[in-house]
Amino acid sequence: MRFGMIGAGHMGSAILKAVLNTNLFPTDKVHISSPVPSELEPFAEQGCKVSSSNLETVRNADLILLAVRPDTVKTVLEEIAPETAWKCVLSIAAGVTVSSIKECLPGNVAVLRAMPNLPLAYGAGSTVFALPGSDVPNRFFELASSIFKSSGNIVFLKEELINAATALGGSAVAYFFRIASIMTEWAEQNGIYSFEANQIIAQTMLGAAKMIMETKKTAGELANGVAVPGGMTEAAFRAFDEAGLDNAFRAGMDACRNRGIELVSSS
């Protein structure tokens, strides 16, 4: 089966790297379109077919992944609709529902929706995949989900839960980066160079993730296990509580989920 991608920005490039690293498709069966030549060059060098024409990409693909901004999805769909018959469109656009995509395409087009995150390019992604409708052929579903399974974990949820799940995965990568940035700045203020600080922080985040995944304890139980009474970590937790850290995080995640709902309403 042939693979096409429209858009090759940050997330699109991450998915393409995963596709090429895992050899899911021969490079000559991968077609990519983007209006930005510099986004296409690295993949052309690897043998992929590239073009500025979305229609050309769709003509040469069976599974088409939309990696474009949510506000451009409708325009792109209207452009490619005549070439999509009996094919499958996979969208990773935040807030864009399967039903709204189907409205722009012929009735014989299969539509899937997923929300991956950037670590997918490094084999450590986390993807939320909307459970497919009964009209999606299994061959498309299996192939589409294999793209994400091969480069991290994948969780299947009802589509109405995708916006909340984005706050846990797709956007949460940036939360962790922001926390790491704050910690690095603090380290520099306390005499530790950023290089050494980044090594400590990154390995600690990796270790914490492994503990969550491999122990039978909840994240809360693990946190309490480190914060022994009268210790340094407990002192940090008291300061976090006084600063309202928990409520700030909940508010941010609420805002993330609600923005996805707003995108659906405005589409």
Side-chain angles (χ1 to χ4, degrees), residues 224-238:
N224 291 333
V226 178
V228 296
M232 295 170 68
T233 307
E234 185 191 48
F237 277 12
R238 286 200 305 271

Side-chain angles (χ1 to χ4, degrees), residues 9 24 34 39 44 47 81 119 140 142 150 163 165 179 189 203-204 208 230-231 235 246 254 262 265:
L24 282 172
S34 170
E39 292 180 348
F140 285 133
E142 290 294 334
S150 63
N163 289 326
I179 291 170
Q189 292 167 359
Q203 185 61 39
T204 300
D246 290 9
D254 283 345
E262 291 171 0
S265 300

Side-chain angles (χ1 to χ4, degrees), residues 52-64:
S52 60
S53 169
N54 295 334
L55 278 174
E56 183 176 341
T57 290
V58 175
R59 288 191 191 105
N60 291 283
D62 303 297
L63 173 63
I64 302 111

Side-chain angles (χ1 to χ4, degrees), residues 5 11 18 23 29 32 40 62 75 79 82 144 179 200 236:
M5 176 175 285
M11 185 55 72
N23 298 312
K29 298 293 184 183
I32 314 159
L40 298 173
D62 303 297
T75 301
E79 175 192 0
I179 291 170
I200 296 168

